[in-house]
Amino acid sequence: MQRLLMIAGSALLALTVQAGAEGDPTKGERVFKKCAACHAVGESAKNKVGPQLNGIVGAPWGRIEGYKYSKNLVELSDGKVWDEDTLVVYLTKPKDLIPKGKMAFAGLRKEQERADVIAYLAQFKDDGTTE
């Protein structure tokens, strides 16, 4: 029950935070360098330690073929999508959303960095081209 309350609180915080933050994709590209050790985007993106993130904004959880997601993500994924609000919660503290997930990164502390990296990722279509 406590975990559910924590997740609900994080989601509420994310809704509040997202309403106040406009993302800058150019700044988000710089922030993404923190992610690039494990993730890739673009036309030649491949899975690394984490899945490639082309088309992630608005995509269902666990959709990348050939990537072995954590059992916990698969268990929690039914009907869920990586919309902006969910990404804010995840990028703030991944373990709050997927407690037993593979993601070792602690999260992005700054609201603006989260908004910027989401704006950057939102540019990429499934095939890695940008809009």
Side-chain angles (χ1 to χ4, degrees):
M1 181 67 159
Q2 183 180 13
R3 190 174 90 192
L4 181 59
L5 288 173
M6 187 167 43
I7 291 170
S10 294
L12 181 59
L13 175 64
L15 290 173
T16 304
V17 167
Q18 188 62 27
E22 286 288 324
D24 179 334
T26 302
K27 290 180 182 176
E29 184 175 9
R30 286 192 298 269
V31 176
F32 188 77
K33 290 179 182 177
K34 296 178 183 182
C35 313
C38 298
H39 297 281
V41 290
E43 294 181 58
S44 61
K46 303 267 188 263
N47 294 332
K48 296 181 174 184
V49 173
Q52 57 87 3
L53 298 177
N54 290 330
I56 191 67
V57 180
W61 288 22
R63 70 176 175 95
I64 302 297
E65 294 291 325
Y67 182 76
K68 185 170 172 55
Y69 290 95
S70 69
K71 183 179 176 183
N72 194 215
L73 181 140
V74 172
E75 291 169 348
L76 296 171
S77 68
D78 191 31
K80 292 195 174 104
V81 296
W82 290 113
D83 58 25
E84 289 185 29
D85 295 333
T86 304
L87 284 165
V88 167
V89 173
Y90 192 68
L91 292 172
T92 301
K93 191 172 180 187
K95 297 293 183 187
D96 280 355
L97 193 62
I98 305 171
K100 297 177 186 171
K102 287 181 173 181
M103 181 95 137
F105 188 66
L108 297 170
R109 293 183 186 167
K110 296 179 182 174
E111 171 187 347
Q112 192 60 55
E113 284 188 343
R114 293 188 297 269
D116 292 342
V117 81
I118 292 169
Y120 173 67
L121 291 172
Q123 301 178 106
F124 292 92
K125 298 178 193 174
D126 287 343
D127 64 1
T129 59
T130 57
E131 299 185 6

CSV table of all heavy atoms in Angstrom, one decimal, residues 93-120:
chain,number,residue,atom,x,y,z
A,93,LYS,N,12.9,9.4,-10.9
A,93,LYS,CA,13.4,8.3,-10.1
A,93,LYS,C,12.9,7.0,-10.6
A,93,LYS,O,11.8,6.6,-10.3
A,93,LYS,CB,13.0,8.5,-8.6
A,93,LYS,CG,13.8,7.5,-7.7
A,93,LYS,CD,13.5,7.9,-6.2
A,93,LYS,CE,14.3,6.9,-5.3
A,93,LYS,NZ,13.9,7.1,-3.9
A,94,PRO,N,13.6,6.3,-11.5
A,94,PRO,CA,13.1,5.1,-12.2
A,94,PRO,C,12.6,4.0,-11.3
A,94,PRO,O,11.6,3.4,-11.6
A,94,PRO,CB,14.3,4.6,-13.0
A,94,PRO,CG,15.2,5.8,-13.2
A,94,PRO,CD,15.0,6.7,-12.0
A,95,LYS,N,13.2,3.9,-10.1
A,95,LYS,CA,12.7,2.8,-9.2
A,95,LYS,C,11.4,3.1,-8.6
A,95,LYS,O,10.7,2.2,-8.1
A,95,LYS,CB,13.8,2.5,-8.1
A,95,LYS,CG,15.1,2.0,-8.6
A,95,LYS,CD,15.0,0.7,-9.2
A,95,LYS,CE,16.4,0.2,-9.7
A,95,LYS,NZ,16.4,-1.1,-10.4
A,96,ASP,N,10.9,4.3,-8.6
A,96,ASP,CA,9.6,4.6,-8.1
A,96,ASP,C,8.5,4.1,-9.0
A,96,ASP,O,7.4,3.7,-8.6
A,96,ASP,CB,9.3,6.1,-8.0
A,96,ASP,CG,9.9,6.7,-6.7
A,96,ASP,OD1,10.5,5.9,-5.9
A,96,ASP,OD2,9.9,7.9,-6.6
A,97,LEU,N,8.8,4.0,-10.3
A,97,LEU,CA,7.8,3.5,-11.3
A,97,LEU,C,8.0,2.0,-11.5
A,97,LEU,O,7.0,1.2,-11.6
A,97,LEU,CB,8.0,4.2,-12.6
A,97,LEU,CG,6.9,4.1,-13.6
A,97,LEU,CD1,5.5,4.6,-13.1
A,97,LEU,CD2,7.2,4.8,-14.9
A,98,ILE,N,9.2,1.5,-11.6
A,98,ILE,CA,9.5,0.1,-11.9
A,98,ILE,C,10.6,-0.3,-10.8
A,98,ILE,O,11.8,-0.3,-11.1
A,98,ILE,CB,10.1,-0.1,-13.3
A,98,ILE,CG1,9.0,0.5,-14.3
A,98,ILE,CG2,10.3,-1.6,-13.6
A,98,ILE,CD1,9.5,0.5,-15.7
A,99,PRO,N,10.1,-0.7,-9.6
A,99,PRO,CA,11.0,-0.9,-8.5
A,99,PRO,C,12.1,-2.0,-8.7
A,99,PRO,O,13.2,-1.8,-8.2
A,99,PRO,CB,10.0,-1.4,-7.4
A,99,PRO,CG,8.7,-0.8,-7.8
A,99,PRO,CD,8.7,-0.8,-9.3
A,100,LYS,N,11.8,-3.0,-9.5
A,100,LYS,CA,12.8,-4.1,-9.7
A,100,LYS,C,13.3,-4.0,-11.2
A,100,LYS,O,13.7,-5.1,-11.7
A,100,LYS,CB,12.2,-5.4,-9.4
A,100,LYS,CG,11.8,-5.5,-7.9
A,100,LYS,CD,11.2,-6.9,-7.6
A,100,LYS,CE,10.7,-6.9,-6.2
A,100,LYS,NZ,9.8,-8.1,-5.9
A,101,GLY,N,13.2,-2.9,-11.8
A,101,GLY,CA,13.7,-2.7,-13.2
A,101,GLY,C,15.2,-2.8,-13.3
A,101,GLY,O,15.9,-2.6,-12.3
A,102,LYS,N,15.7,-2.9,-14.5
A,102,LYS,CA,17.1,-2.9,-14.8
A,102,LYS,C,17.8,-1.6,-14.7
A,102,LYS,O,19.0,-1.5,-14.5
A,102,LYS,CB,17.4,-3.4,-16.2
A,102,LYS,CG,17.1,-4.9,-16.4
A,102,LYS,CD,17.4,-5.2,-17.9
A,102,LYS,CE,17.4,-6.6,-18.2
A,102,LYS,NZ,17.7,-6.8,-19.7
A,103,MET,N,17.1,-0.5,-14.8
A,103,MET,CA,17.6,0.8,-14.9
A,103,MET,C,18.4,1.2,-13.7
A,103,MET,O,17.8,1.3,-12.6
A,103,MET,CB,16.6,1.9,-15.2
A,103,MET,CG,17.1,3.3,-15.3
A,103,MET,SD,17.3,3.7,-17.0
A,103,MET,CE,16.6,5.4,-16.9
A,104,ALA,N,19.7,1.3,-13.8
A,104,ALA,CA,20.6,1.6,-12.7
A,104,ALA,C,20.7,3.1,-12.4
A,104,ALA,O,21.1,3.6,-11.3
A,104,ALA,CB,22.0,1.0,-12.9
A,105,PHE,N,20.4,3.9,-13.4
A,105,PHE,CA,20.5,5.4,-13.3
A,105,PHE,C,19.5,5.9,-12.2
A,105,PHE,O,18.4,5.5,-12.1
A,105,PHE,CB,20.1,6.0,-14.6
A,105,PHE,CG,20.3,7.5,-14.7
A,105,PHE,CD1,21.6,8.0,-14.7
A,105,PHE,CD2,19.3,8.3,-14.9
A,105,PHE,CE1,21.8,9.4,-14.8
A,105,PHE,CE2,19.5,9.7,-15.0
A,105,PHE,CZ,20.8,10.2,-14.9
A,106,ALA,N,20.0,6.8,-11.3
A,106,ALA,CA,19.2,7.3,-10.2
A,106,ALA,C,18.1,8.3,-10.6
A,106,ALA,O,17.1,8.4,-9.9
A,106,ALA,CB,20.1,7.9,-9.2
A,107,GLY,N,18.3,8.9,-11.8
A,107,GLY,CA,17.3,9.9,-12.2
A,107,GLY,C,17.8,11.2,-12.5
A,107,GLY,O,19.0,11.5,-12.1
A,108,LEU,N,17.0,12.1,-13.1
A,108,LEU,CA,17.4,13.5,-13.3
A,108,LEU,C,16.7,14.3,-12.3
A,108,LEU,O,15.5,14.4,-12.2
A,108,LEU,CB,17.0,13.9,-14.7
A,108,LEU,CG,17.6,13.2,-15.9
A,108,LEU,CD1,16.9,13.5,-17.2
A,108,LEU,CD2,19.1,13.5,-16.0
A,109,ARG,N,17.5,15.0,-11.5
A,109,ARG,CA,17.0,15.8,-10.4
A,109,ARG,C,16.3,17.1,-10.9
A,109,ARG,O,15.3,17.5,-10.2
A,109,ARG,CB,18.1,16.2,-9.4
A,109,ARG,CG,18.6,15.0,-8.7
A,109,ARG,CD,19.6,15.5,-7.7
A,109,ARG,NE,20.3,14.3,-7.1
A,109,ARG,CZ,21.3,14.3,-6.4
A,109,ARG,NH1,21.9,15.5,-6.1
A,109,ARG,NH2,21.9,13.2,-5.9
A,110,LYS,N,16.8,17.7,-11.9
A,110,LYS,CA,16.2,19.0,-12.3
A,110,LYS,C,15.0,18.8,-13.3
A,110,LYS,O,15.1,18.2,-14.3
A,110,LYS,CB,17.3,19.8,-13.0
A,110,LYS,CG,18.5,20.1,-12.1
A,110,LYS,CD,19.6,20.9,-12.8
A,110,LYS,CE,20.7,21.2,-11.8
A,110,LYS,NZ,21.9,21.8,-12.5
A,111,GLU,N,14.0,19.5,-12.9
A,111,GLU,CA,12.7,19.5,-13.7
A,111,GLU,C,13.0,19.9,-15.1
A,111,GLU,O,12.5,19.3,-16.1
A,111,GLU,CB,11.7,20.5,-13.1
A,111,GLU,CG,10.5,20.8,-13.8
A,111,GLU,CD,9.7,21.9,-13.2
A,111,GLU,OE1,9.9,22.3,-12.1
A,111,GLU,OE2,8.8,22.4,-13.9
A,112,GLN,N,13.8,21.0,-15.4
A,112,GLN,CA,14.0,21.4,-16.7
A,112,GLN,C,14.8,20.4,-17.5
A,112,GLN,O,14.5,20.2,-18.7
A,112,GLN,CB,14.8,22.8,-16.7
A,112,GLN,CG,14.8,23.4,-18.1
A,112,GLN,CD,13.4,23.8,-18.6
A,112,GLN,OE1,12.6,24.4,-17.9
A,112,GLN,NE2,13.1,23.3,-19.8
A,113,GLU,N,15.7,19.7,-16.9
A,113,GLU,CA,16.5,18.6,-17.6
A,113,GLU,C,15.5,17.5,-18.1
A,113,GLU,O,15.7,17.0,-19.2
A,113,GLU,CB,17.6,18.0,-16.8
A,113,GLU,CG,18.8,18.9,-16.6
A,113,GLU,CD,19.9,18.2,-15.9
A,113,GLU,OE1,19.7,17.2,-15.2
A,113,GLU,OE2,21.1,18.7,-16.0
A,114,ARG,N,14.6,17.2,-17.2
A,114,ARG,CA,13.6,16.1,-17.6
A,114,ARG,C,12.8,16.6,-18.8
A,114,ARG,O,12.6,15.9,-19.8
A,114,ARG,CB,12.7,15.8,-16.4
A,114,ARG,CG,13.5,15.0,-15.3
A,114,ARG,CD,12.6,14.5,-14.3
A,114,ARG,NE,11.9,15.5,-13.5
A,114,ARG,CZ,12.3,16.1,-12.4
A,114,ARG,NH1,13.4,15.8,-11.9
A,114,ARG,NH2,11.5,17.0,-11.8
A,115,ALA,N,12.3,17.9,-18.7
A,115,ALA,CA,11.5,18.4,-19.8
A,115,ALA,C,12.3,18.5,-21.1
A,115,ALA,O,11.8,18.2,-22.2
A,115,ALA,CB,11.0,19.8,-19.4
A,116,ASP,N,13.5,18.9,-21.0
A,116,ASP,CA,14.4,19.0,-22.2
A,116,ASP,C,14.7,17.7,-22.8
A,116,ASP,O,14.6,17.5,-24.1
A,116,ASP,CB,15.7,19.7,-21.8
A,116,ASP,CG,15.5,21.2,-21.5
A,116,ASP,OD1,14.5,21.8,-21.8
A,116,ASP,OD2,16.5,21.7,-20.8
A,117,VAL,N,15.0,16.7,-22.0
A,117,VAL,CA,15.3,15.4,-22.6
A,117,VAL,C,14.1,14.7,-23.2
A,117,VAL,O,14.1,14.1,-24.3
A,117,VAL,CB,16.0,14.4,-21.6
A,117,VAL,CG1,15.1,13.7,-20.7
A,117,VAL,CG2,16.9,13.4,-22.4
A,118,ILE,N,12.9,14.9,-22.7
A,118,ILE,CA,11.7,14.4,-23.2
A,118,ILE,C,11.4,15.1,-24.6
A,118,ILE,O,11.0,14.5,-25.6
A,118,ILE,CB,10.5,14.6,-22.3
A,118,ILE,CG1,10.7,13.6,-21.1
A,118,ILE,CG2,9.1,14.3,-23.0
A,118,ILE,CD1,9.7,13.8,-19.9
A,119,ALA,N,11.6,16.4,-24.6
A,119,ALA,CA,11.4,17.2,-25.9
A,119,ALA,C,12.4,16.6,-27.0
A,119,ALA,O,12.1,16.5,-28.1
A,119,ALA,CB,11.6,18.7,-25.7
A,120,TYR,N,13.6,16.3,-26.6
A,120,TYR,CA,14.6,15.8,-27.5
A,120,TYR,C,14.2,14.4,-28.0
A,120,TYR,O,14.1,14.2,-29.2
A,120,TYR,CB,16.0,15.7,-26.8
A,120,TYR,CG,17.0,15.0,-27.6
A,120,TYR,CD1,17.6,15.5,-28.7
A,120,TYR,CD2,17.5,13.7,-27.1
A,120,TYR,CE1,18.5,14.9,-29.4
A,120,TYR,CE2,18.5,13.1,-27.9
A,120,TYR,CZ,19.0,13.6,-29.0
A,120,TYR,OH,20.0,13.0,-29.7
